[in-house]
Amino acid sequence: MSRIKQAYADAVYEGRRPVIPCFPFPVNRRQKAFRFILELAERVAPTGIGLVYPGRQVFVQHPAVAPAPEEFSEWDLFQFVYALKAQTGQPVVLAIHYRDIVGFGVIPYGQEGHKVGLDALLVRQPIVAELDYFAAEMLQHGVGLSFIIDAGVDHSELTRLRRYATAFVYVADDMALSAVLASHETESAPVFHSCRRREPAPGAQPGEPVRTGILLDHVLPGSPVNPTWEMTQLDQACRTVAESQNQLVMAADDERVDPFNLPEDGP
């Protein structure tokens, strides 16, 4: 079982809805962003942490970003993931357009993803003809695969994407949730959707197990473009995650490990 699937199952067992908050990868203010995410993970313990690659658009809430070469490299990203995994122990998911993976290389993403402990790639618009090769490389290196299912996905490809997803699938707001859940099987990857969705999960009855998780593609207050990562925004961000989990927010003055005691050479 993948680490994401295990975390999903653990959340359901504990009576929490599985939730993955996603944050734009910090092209700048990296240390502030690291501390912000670390504190949020400590306080609300989500199912995983999502990072959004600064490239082609992945989520509606996150416009495409084109940082200058001196502002960003994949090595910055891998270092950040490694430090985040070491400090939080949370599964880490990278949301990315398939063409940005190809730009750096499928094999390097598998190799370096394995080295830093990247749990899964959440991929937008994979090239169907390359799925066998892509999935085999990720499987070889232990990096899980997730896919964004939206209205642009042909219905004939839906079952295939579900089959290749080893971590989970994310159903965007413009895609009928029922179309994905209709093909749900016990061994299938879990399904996540946006908190903005108004369509209830079909057939859900009070007391039944959770059938879907929530992927929060916008957690930080304000615009996701060049966020300031101010700690004054932390309570609101924690509340957003906790309410999606159906949990109370841990008080800010509760005793816990201080996440601000970071090495100077951190990301």
Side-chain angles (χ1 to χ4, degrees):
M1 179 182 291
S2 73
R3 290 180 288 265
I4 295 291
K5 284 185 177 181
Q6 183 62 59
Y8 185 102
D10 290 344
V12 172
Y13 179 77
E14 294 166 4
R16 295 181 288 114
R17 181 175 292 277
V19 173
I20 298 177
C22 287
F23 303 92
F25 176 78
V27 174
N28 50 42
R29 302 186 181 95
R30 204 159 294 151
Q31 189 65 266
K32 291 183 69 174
F34 186 77
R35 291 171 175 170
F36 189 103
I37 297 173
L38 203 64
E39 174 75 354
L40 180 139
E42 177 68 25
R43 286 178 58 180
V44 295
T47 302
I49 297 293
L51 297 173
V52 182
Y53 184 90
R56 292 169 176 82
Q57 188 169 26
V58 178
F59 299 125
V60 173
Q61 295 285 337
H62 292 256
V65 178
E70 64 271 16
E71 294 180 306
F72 167 77
S73 75
E74 263 77 11
W75 307 112
D76 298 330
L77 173 65
F78 292 134
Q79 182 190 24
F80 193 89
V81 170
Y82 181 81
L84 200 59
K85 287 282 296 186
Q87 291 286 332
T88 68
Q90 293 279 348
V92 177
V93 178
L94 176 64
I96 184 171
H97 195 285
Y98 184 72
R99 293 194 181 278
D100 282 322
I101 296 176
V102 173
F104 184 68
V106 170
I107 294 176
Y109 256 100
Q111 292 175 337
E112 299 304 323
H114 171 75
K115 289 178 184 177
V116 302
L118 180 65
D119 292 277
L121 292 169
L122 174 56
V123 184
R124 182 177 181 83
Q125 294 185 347
I127 298 175
V128 176
E130 298 181 6
L131 275 175
D132 284 338
Y133 159 69
F134 180 44
E137 284 295 332
M138 295 304 112
L139 180 62
Q140 177 183 349
H141 296 291
V143 177
L145 270 185
S146 306
F147 297 105
I148 295 175
I149 307 294
D150 58 20
V153 174
D154 189 272
H155 186 76
S156 63
E157 298 173 2
L158 178 58
T159 302
R160 190 175 186 188
L161 288 178
R162 290 296 308 270
R163 187 171 70 249
Y164 278 103
T166 56
F168 64 94
V169 294
Y170 168 62
V171 185
D173 283 336
D174 60 355
M175 179 73 177
L177 185 60
S178 56
V180 179
L181 290 180
S183 61
H184 181 76
E185 299 176 1
T186 305
E187 66 276 10
S188 295
V191 175
F192 283 78
H193 62 79
S194 166
C195 65
R196 296 184 300 277
R197 180 177 293 281
R198 295 293 180 263
E199 177 191 0
Q205 298 295 329
E208 284 190 357
V210 172
R211 298 186 67 193
T212 58
I214 293 176
L215 189 143
L216 296 171
D217 55 12
H218 189 192
V219 182
L220 287 169
S223 170
V225 179
N226 197 24
T228 58
W229 302 98
E230 297 299 333
M231 296 304 290
T232 54
Q233 300 172 329
L234 181 62
D235 284 344
Q236 183 176 344
C238 287
R239 189 175 300 110
T240 297
V241 177
E243 289 174 352
S244 299
Q245 293 173 313
N246 299 324
Q247 296 288 297
L248 297 176
V249 182
M250 182 186 295
D253 57 356
D254 282 357
E255 292 184 5
R256 54 188 179 275
V257 177
D258 181 8
F260 296 93
N261 186 20
L262 300 174
E264 292 299 323
D265 58 350

